[in-house]
Amino acid sequence: MPLLPRALHLARGALALTSLCTCLVIAGCAEPGPAPGAEQRTESRAARAGSSHSGTKEDGTREGGSKEGPATESKSAEGGRLEGAPGRRGSANEAARGLAGQPVEAALVREIPGLGPLTRSRVPVASRQALVVSGEGRNSPKSGVVLYERDADTGWEPVTNRWPAHNALRGWTHNHQADDLRSPIGVFTLGDAGGRLPDPGARLPYDESEYFESPGTGFLGESLEGSFDYVVAIDYNRASGTTPLDQTRPLGATKGGGVWIHVDHEGPTQACVSLSRTRMVDLLRKLDPAKRPVIVMGDALALRD
């Protein structure tokens, strides 16, 4: 073939090949291969997507600059464990402190069982001891007593078993009056103690006096002797910071007074709460003024308010 025609033939072939490659790229058939290291970056993004932080900075802003809400936290079916973002289960330590060092969810803070929102709201925030007296019925003289203490992180925990107790003969009332033979329902502070016998190791101020007398018999004919050997004053219609024997009645005499926790005499009381002698000693040794103790008292139904 002559030289000039052959050169023209080769030029036409190269032009055709160039046009074909251009069409293939435009049509998307010739996908470029991954750049060096691209597979590693893809795996790193997948790993970050499975983490609990989900690519979110500490201030809640995503790395791309958009906001997103906090990861959902909930108790697991077993209880006590937190679940964060998908693919990650919180540890026991995280359940105690909250994910990423955040405060524990309110649902994980233990409340005193059997108390409704209104009753809980009446327990002072500063109180870290609560003696809960739960009556068996509005008109029943029988009840149970449990002492609770509050931890700043985990909430209320029982520190005693349930102790059997007596309350007033006719049960409970929201509007206690003198001689109605019902115990007052409510939340009251506990700050003073005393008794006819020497101090058994009480932490509250203790007044030993022979005037803690309890002559006569109870409603079932039982002897009242020794009922006031140990007492803790309930701050219902009294001047706190004084001996339980103080007769001051800030609300007036008709609202009653002298409502104590004292030694049980195996029968109903006039308005007080009574525990066995052994339990009274236990209680006196446990109630700590530094923990600002209160008594939460009433029938079980009333306490659920």
Side-chain angles (χ1 to χ4, degrees):
M1 180 182 290
L3 181 60
L4 181 58
R6 183 181 180 189
L8 290 173
H9 178 74
L10 292 173
R12 286 193 192 100
L15 180 60
L17 180 60
T18 302
S19 300
L20 177 61
C21 290
T22 302
C23 291
L24 289 174
V25 170
I26 292 173
C29 297
E31 235 176 40
E39 292 184 0
Q40 288 183 335
R41 289 199 297 273
T42 302
E43 290 176 359
S44 297
R45 285 197 297 272
R48 286 198 299 271
S51 71
S52 63
H53 298 290
S54 301
T56 305
K57 297 179 183 179
E58 290 182 358
D59 63 355
T61 305
R62 291 186 62 83
E63 292 174 348
S66 63
K67 288 282 188 177
E68 75 169 356
T72 302
E73 299 177 5
S74 63
K75 282 202 295 185
S76 70
E78 295 87 353
R81 286 194 297 184
L82 288 174
E83 291 184 6
R88 185 173 185 277
R89 197 178 279 271
S91 67
N93 288 336
E94 285 172 337
R97 69 175 184 273
L99 288 176
Q102 297 301 313
V104 177
E105 288 288 327
L108 294 179
V109 177
R110 297 182 183 88
E111 296 288 355
I112 298 174
L115 302 190
L118 180 60
T119 303
R120 290 200 303 267
S121 71
R122 291 172 175 165
V123 178
V125 174
S127 293
R128 290 183 289 125
Q129 279 187 329
L131 186 70
V132 179
V133 183
S134 180
E136 293 184 2
R138 180 58 61 93
N139 301 315
S140 172
K142 294 183 178 181
S143 50
V145 175
V146 180
L147 179 63
Y148 290 85
E149 291 193 358
R150 176 159 54 186
D151 180 90
D153 294 325
T154 59
W156 291 97
E157 295 280 1
V159 294
T160 69
N161 295 323
R162 187 178 186 275
W163 297 338
H166 280 102
N167 50 269
L169 176 68
R170 295 177 181 169
W172 302 89
T173 179
H174 284 288
N175 184 27
H176 177 61
Q177 303 289 323
D179 302 322
D180 65 3
L181 301 182
R182 290 184 179 271
S183 298
I185 297 171
V187 178
F188 310 100
T189 53
L190 300 172
D192 303 288
R196 188 175 60 86
L197 297 182
D199 184 351
R203 298 185 182 187
L204 299 176
Y206 187 92
D207 176 32
E208 178 186 352
S209 173
E210 62 183 11
Y211 292 106
F212 285 97
E213 296 179 319
S214 51
T217 56
F219 295 108
L220 303 180
E222 75 279 13
S223 172
L224 300 180
E225 182 66 29
S227 298
F228 301 155
D229 284 352
Y230 303 115
V231 310
V232 176
I234 297 172
D235 289 339
Y236 169 84
N237 197 21
R238 71 177 297 270
S240 60
T242 63
T243 173
L245 295 170
D246 189 346
Q247 295 295 310
T248 302
R249 301 290 180 258
L251 302 178
T254 60
K255 293 294 290 180
V259 183
W260 297 344
I261 309 167
H262 61 68
V263 177
D264 188 60
H265 46 75
E266 303 296 332
T269 69
Q270 292 196 23
C272 301
V273 174
S274 61
L275 294 168
S276 72
R277 182 178 300 272
T278 300
R279 298 312 182 197
M280 277 302 300
V281 172
D282 289 345
L283 183 64
L284 284 166
R285 291 172 178 171
K286 290 181 185 301
L287 290 178
D288 184 352
K291 297 179 180 179
R292 303 190 182 186
V294 295
I295 185 170
V296 182
M297 55 192 289
D299 61 279
L301 184 61
L303 295 182
R304 287 199 289 269
D305 288 345

